[in-house]
Amino acid sequence: MLWRELLAQAARARLWPTWAQYAGTVATVTGMLALRLGLAHYLSGYPILLFFAAIFGCAVLFGRRAGAFAVLLSAAYIAYFLLPPTFSFAIGRSQDVLGLGLFIIIGLAIAVVIEALHTALQDVTDLNSNLQSANARLTAAEGEKDLLLREAGHRMKNDLTMLVALVQLQQRAAPDEGARAVLATTVERIRVMARVHDRLHRAQGEAVISTAAFITELCDDLRASAIAFQPILLAVDVEPHDLLQSRAVAVGLIINELLTNALKYAFPDERSGRITVIFRRDDQDYRLEVVDDGVGMQPDHPHPIKGSGLGQRLIRSLAAQLGGTFTRVTDVTQGVRAKVVFPVVA
């Protein structure tokens, strides 16, 4: 910007030795006198006009002392060369004395005001420089926080992966089929938590996760591992929202439990069907739904879902942790609609 360039030039000029500053002032005022004498035919009625420019320039470049010296030197030049009788410091007319006095007062005021403006601009420049430095440090600190968050998430994921491997070893060594099934379910729950840490990022200073990518990838994993070649379509209808880390873990575990439940009980005997996972925001609440068009919860079904198992208790506990509620609507012919509603603000 122009004023920054002028400020930089003035800062360099004020580093000159004192004698050089006053010499520059004398040269400026004398040059303005020579210009005024050269333009005497055009400026006959304005003997002092050009000297204001000299005062302004000297005050800007060298400070108020040089500006005041420029005022006094200009007044001397005006009295000696421009006011009658010329080539004499004796001023013949009283109105010229008054005019010269006003010139000195106004010139000194200009020098003082210019110095005050220079100081204010210098303060603004220093403040902007400090703000830029602070912003640079803040940006660097934010980058370090992001790096630390990614590193912490990576380490946590590695730890959870190791835990999965240990549980799988225990699963293979378990002699009882029921125990192996329980351990397999535990493995899936740990994997959900690992996926949360894998997709953590920061927003407004908080560790959050994007629901769209997280839920979609979670469903993709379950589609690949649990559905495989079964004639079941898994659809995902998810809005992108940022959830805090702890809430994302709870949402992921709820989806895992509801999908696993639907795959176990909704489509017996290789029955085809559709499961839809929905995550949307309704005003001040989030709505999570897992809907299937399976057999429903028929009383005579060989594996009725009574809501008394560990998975159901876990879902209700996680819904309560989110500050929300868990409901389930069933129909003999239209399957099951499981819904968790919880507030946007924790």
Side-chain angles (χ1 to χ4, degrees):
M1 296 177 65
L2 180 59
W3 67 269
R4 289 182 179 175
E5 292 293 333
L6 292 175
L7 201 60
Q9 292 291 341
R12 285 192 287 269
R14 294 188 180 204
L15 295 177
W16 292 5
T18 303
W19 67 265
Q21 294 183 18
Y22 282 101
T25 301
V26 171
T28 301
V29 176
T30 303
M32 201 60 65
L33 173 64
L35 180 63
R36 171 61 182 79
L37 292 174
L39 297 175
H41 177 71
Y42 303 99
L43 298 175
S44 58
Y46 306 94
I48 65 175
L49 184 62
L50 293 179
F51 290 96
F52 282 117
I55 295 168
F56 180 88
C58 293
V60 169
L61 289 175
F62 307 124
R64 65 176 180 274
R65 289 181 181 147
F69 178 67
V71 171
L72 297 178
L73 183 59
S74 298
Y77 281 167
I78 292 168
Y80 190 80
F81 290 102
L82 301 176
L83 296 179
T86 57
F87 306 111
S88 171
F89 288 108
I91 302 175
R93 296 179 300 183
S94 59
Q95 60 265 35
D96 289 340
V97 175
L98 178 61
L100 189 60
L102 289 175
F103 169 80
I104 294 173
I105 293 173
I106 294 173
L108 292 175
I110 289 174
V112 172
V113 171
I114 291 298
E115 182 68 14
L117 290 174
H118 179 275
T119 302
L121 286 174
Q122 188 63 54
D123 290 342
V124 170
T125 301
D126 293 341
L127 180 60
N128 286 338
S129 178
N130 292 335
L131 287 175
Q132 290 174 358
S133 299
N135 286 335
R137 291 193 298 269
L138 181 61
T139 301
E142 290 295 314
E144 291 176 0
K145 289 179 181 179
D146 289 334
L147 181 61
L148 290 173
L149 177 63
R150 289 194 296 270
E151 180 65 22
H154 182 68
R155 291 186 179 184
M156 179 62 72
K157 181 185 176 183
N158 289 342
D159 292 341
L160 292 173
T161 301
M162 185 178 297
L163 181 60
V164 166
L166 292 174
V167 175
Q168 287 177 326
L169 286 175
Q170 189 68 37
Q171 176 188 353
R172 287 192 288 269
D176 180 71
E177 181 64 32
R180 287 196 294 272
V182 171
L183 290 173
T185 302
T186 302
V187 166
E188 292 303 319
R189 290 166 180 162
I190 297 173
R191 282 176 174 162
V192 170
M193 291 186 285
R195 182 164 291 283
V196 169
H197 289 283
D198 190 35
R199 299 200 62 86
L200 280 177
H201 66 279
R202 293 177 68 250
Q204 298 179 351
E206 299 281 357
V208 299
I209 191 168
S210 174
T211 55
F214 169 59
I215 295 176
T216 300
E217 292 183 6
L218 176 61
C219 292
D220 288 342
D221 286 350
L222 289 171
R223 182 186 290 111
S225 61
I227 297 177
F229 298 105
Q230 297 182 53
I232 300 172
L233 174 65
L234 178 56
V236 180
D237 181 9
V238 181
E239 293 179 345
H241 298 287
D242 283 341
L243 285 182
L244 293 177
Q245 175 184 353
S246 58
R247 307 189 101 198
V249 171
V251 168
L253 289 172
I254 290 173
I255 293 173
N256 182 72
E257 296 299 323
L258 291 175
L259 279 178
T260 302
N261 213 34
L263 291 170
K264 280 183 180 179
Y265 304 114
F267 308 103
D269 305 321
E270 298 296 324
R271 178 189 176 109
S272 63
R274 176 188 178 96
I275 303 174
T276 304
V277 177
I278 302 169
F279 187 87
R280 293 184 173 278
R281 176 171 177 171
D282 296 331
D283 196 16
Q284 298 302 312
D285 292 320
Y286 288 127
R287 171 170 53 89
L288 168 63
E289 292 184 277
V290 176
V291 184
D292 69 71
D293 59 358
V295 298
M297 294 193 300
Q298 303 177 39
D300 58 347
H301 192 276
H303 302 289
I305 305 172
K306 299 179 180 179
S308 60
L310 175 61
Q312 295 295 308
R313 293 200 302 273
L314 179 61
I315 293 171
R316 297 184 186 281
S317 175
L318 291 170
Q321 177 183 319
L322 292 169
T325 58
F326 169 59
T327 57
R328 189 173 54 204
V329 178
T330 64
D331 189 276
V332 173
T333 59
Q334 296 182 2
V336 176
R337 176 182 293 269
K339 180 168 65 174
V340 174
V341 178
F342 60 96
V344 171
V345 181

